[in-house]
């Protein structure tokens, strides 16, 4: 089957290429004007970085692989500064490019390095994880973490293109693959109910990269994100719906010092947001239970420590959706009917967490 091209519109449109064995499409995304390419890749992925570099070298680019730490350890100021120095040493100019290869943490870092070096050079992203393909690499949000919170420093910098080669998913550890499903399921709850139906029809298949609906699930989730970010790049309104479940999720990740998988945290966060929606009188109880059933069916968690609420509540105050001292949550008024809840009562927040805490 040939590749699928999903167009992400807006002021700086680009394509997300999806398929199996589509690495040969990469030079087209990098572009003809580019001469030097810095390939920023997770150091644990040399077997994927090598063919990326090979394809680019064959196309005539001067290629420099730059390994960075695996996972969230890459998203630190010191690693970012090291990339800036490497780019400068390579003599990179604004007509050159950065290619980010790896999971969401690597593409977040590579994108921010490209956004900030020389006030912006071209970035092309090659996500190698399910989470990276359906979420982190699409939409132009880049950033790093600081001790006070996740993704608090970054920039909006749309890539020149995104290449999702589904062949890379086969080598993923099962728990990491399942973690990425949380963002796909999120897309189902906020915009595309067919995603939920596909998971419910075959949970075991959904939890495997070899499943019969893997490509459709990936493409549907990317399409949801593409539709949203095309109309709201800088998260001034509609794009906030993509953060469904993320306010609590980011607090959990910080409490766990980023050792807790992002998708697992988002799964718990979605159940919390659903309970908050129900207690606010906006969402039927059966939809809340559908959250638990769908997420649990693929092996995602639906609860978190009962005694963790005070720490999590304090962390949620530092959230990108907050305005001043007012907490803002993405909630649901029904499946594919996202809304917002501003400044909820503290008892409502605590009551919703009691439904999640175990």
């Amino acid at each position: 089957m040939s590749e699928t091209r999903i167009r992400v519109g807006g002021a700086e449109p680009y394509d997300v290429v999806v398929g199996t064995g589509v690495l040969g499409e990469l030079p087209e995304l990098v572009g003809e004007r580019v001469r030097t390419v810095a390939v920023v890749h997770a150091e644990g992925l040399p077997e994927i970085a090598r063919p990326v570099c090979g394809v680019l070298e064959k196309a005539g680019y001067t290629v420099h692989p730059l390994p960075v730490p695996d996972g969230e350890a890459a998203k630190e100021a010191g690693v970012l500064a090291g990339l800036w120095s490497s780019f400068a040493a390579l003599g990179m100019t604004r007509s050159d490019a950065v290619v980010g290869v790896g999971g969401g943490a690597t593409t977040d870092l590579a994108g921010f390095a490209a956004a900030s070096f020389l006030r912006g050079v071209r970035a092309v992203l090659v996500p190698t994880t399910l989470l990276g393909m359906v979420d982190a690499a699409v939409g132009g949000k880049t950033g790093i973490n600081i001790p006070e919170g996740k993704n608090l420093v970054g920039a909006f910098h749309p890539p020149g293109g995104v290449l999702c080669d589904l062949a890379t998913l086969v080598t993923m550890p099962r728990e990491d693959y399942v973690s990425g499903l949380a963002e796909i399921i999120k897309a189902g709850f906020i915009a595309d109910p067919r995603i939920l139906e596909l998971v419910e029809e075959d949970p075991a298949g959904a939890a495997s990269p070899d499943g019969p609906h893997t490509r459709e699930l990936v493409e549907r989730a990317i399409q949801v994100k593409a539709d949203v970010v095309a109309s709201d790049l800088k998260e001034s309104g509609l794009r906030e719906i993509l953060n469904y479940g993320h306010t609590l999720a980011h607090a959990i990740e910080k409490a766990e010092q980023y050792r807790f998988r992002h998708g697992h945290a988002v799964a718990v966060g979605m159940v919390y947001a659903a309970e908050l929606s129900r207690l606010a009188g906006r969402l039927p109880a059966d939809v809340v239970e559908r959250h638990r059933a769908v997420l649990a069916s693929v092996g995602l968690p639906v609860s978190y420590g009962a005694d963790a609420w005070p720490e999590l509540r304090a962390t949620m105050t530092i959230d990108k959706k907050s305005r001043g001292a007012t907490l803002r949550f993405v909630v649901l008024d029904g499946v594919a009917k996202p809304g917002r809840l501003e400044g909820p009562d503290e008892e409502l927040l605590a009551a919703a967490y009691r439904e999640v805490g175990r």
Side-chain angles (χ1 to χ4, degrees), residues 80 84 111-121 155 157:
L80 175 65
W84 289 333
F112 188 31
S116 49
F117 187 71
L118 299 178
R119 297 185 176 89
V121 299
H157 186 63

Side-chain angles (χ1 to χ4, degrees), residues 38-115:
V39 177
V40 177
H41 68 90
E43 59 188 5
L45 293 176
E47 73 284 356
I48 293 176
R50 276 194 297 269
V52 168
C53 292
V55 165
L56 293 171
E57 288 169 348
K58 187 176 180 180
Y61 302 105
T62 301
V63 180
H64 299 276
L66 298 174
V68 296
D70 295 325
E72 292 293 319
K75 293 177 62 172
E76 295 185 357
V79 178
L80 175 65
L83 287 179
W84 289 333
S85 296
S86 294
F87 296 166
L90 295 174
M92 287 181 64
T93 70
R94 283 184 178 172
S95 61
D96 293 321
V98 174
V99 171
V101 183
T106 305
T107 57
D108 277 359
L109 169 73
F112 188 31

Side-chain angles (χ1 to χ4, degrees), residues 30-334:
V30 172
E32 296 179 356
R33 294 178 59 244
V34 174
R35 291 293 174 264
T36 299
V37 179
V39 177
V40 177
H41 68 90
E43 59 188 5
L45 293 176
E47 73 284 356
I48 293 176
R50 276 194 297 269
V52 168
C53 292
V55 165
L56 293 171
E57 288 169 348
K58 187 176 180 180
Y61 302 105
T62 301
V63 180
H64 299 276
L66 298 174
V68 296
D70 295 325
E72 292 293 319
K75 293 177 62 172
E76 295 185 357
V79 178
L80 175 65
L83 287 179
W84 289 333
S85 296
S86 294
F87 296 166
L90 295 174
M92 287 181 64
T93 70
R94 283 184 178 172
S95 61
D96 293 321
V98 174
V99 171
V101 183
T106 305
T107 57
D108 277 359
L109 169 73
F112 188 31
S116 49
F117 187 71
L118 299 178
R119 297 185 176 89
V121 299
R122 186 176 183 83
V124 175
L125 305 178
V126 185
T128 61
T129 65
L130 187 60
L131 179 63
M133 290 181 186
V134 302
D135 184 47
V138 180
K141 284 172 71 173
T142 71
I144 61 170
N145 306 326
I146 58 174
E148 289 73 18
K150 184 170 181 175
N151 294 329
L152 291 182
V153 179
F156 292 99
H157 186 63
V162 179
L163 184 72
C164 300
D165 192 333
L166 301 178
T168 65
L169 299 179
V170 178
T171 61
M172 286 188 66
R174 177 179 171 80
E175 281 297 295
D176 291 337
Y177 186 85
V178 168
S179 176
L181 282 176
E183 292 287 357
I184 291 179
I185 292 169
K186 178 202 73 178
F189 276 115
I190 65 172
D192 184 358
R194 180 58 184 153
I195 288 175
L196 303 178
E197 294 168 0
L198 288 170
V199 175
E200 289 166 334
E201 289 167 10
D202 185 8
S208 169
D210 295 320
H213 304 302
T214 296
R215 181 162 178 169
E216 182 177 359
L217 288 169
V218 169
E219 290 178 356
R220 282 183 174 274
I222 291 173
Q223 189 66 63
V224 167
K225 188 157 190 181
D227 290 344
V228 172
V229 301
S231 60
D232 181 19
L233 171 65
K234 296 190 176 180
E235 208 168 74
S236 57
L238 177 64
R239 184 166 180 163
E240 283 188 341
I241 69 172
L242 297 173
N243 285 319
Y244 182 60
H246 283 56
T247 299
L248 183 69
H250 286 165
I252 290 173
E253 288 179 283
K254 183 174 184 294
E256 297 280 350
Q257 296 181 313
Y258 304 110
R259 292 189 294 264
F260 203 81
R261 289 179 177 86
H262 176 70
H264 286 54
V266 168
V268 176
M270 283 193 283
V271 176
Y272 176 74
E275 288 287 6
L276 194 59
S277 306
R278 178 184 68 84
L279 292 173
R282 299 176 62 162
L283 189 67
D286 64 313
V287 181
V288 181
E289 288 312 306
R290 190 180 188 188
H291 279 68
R292 287 192 170 89
V294 172
L295 293 165
S297 74
V298 295
L300 286 164
V302 294
S303 61
Y304 191 68
D307 59 351
W309 175 244
E311 180 183 359
L312 298 179
R313 175 62 188 90
T315 301
M316 285 196 298
T317 300
I318 308 173
D319 183 81
K320 297 187 297 298
K321 293 180 298 303
S322 296
R323 300 293 183 268
T326 304
L327 266 183
R328 303 166 79 240
F329 286 85
V330 179
V331 294
L332 290 182
D333 295 313

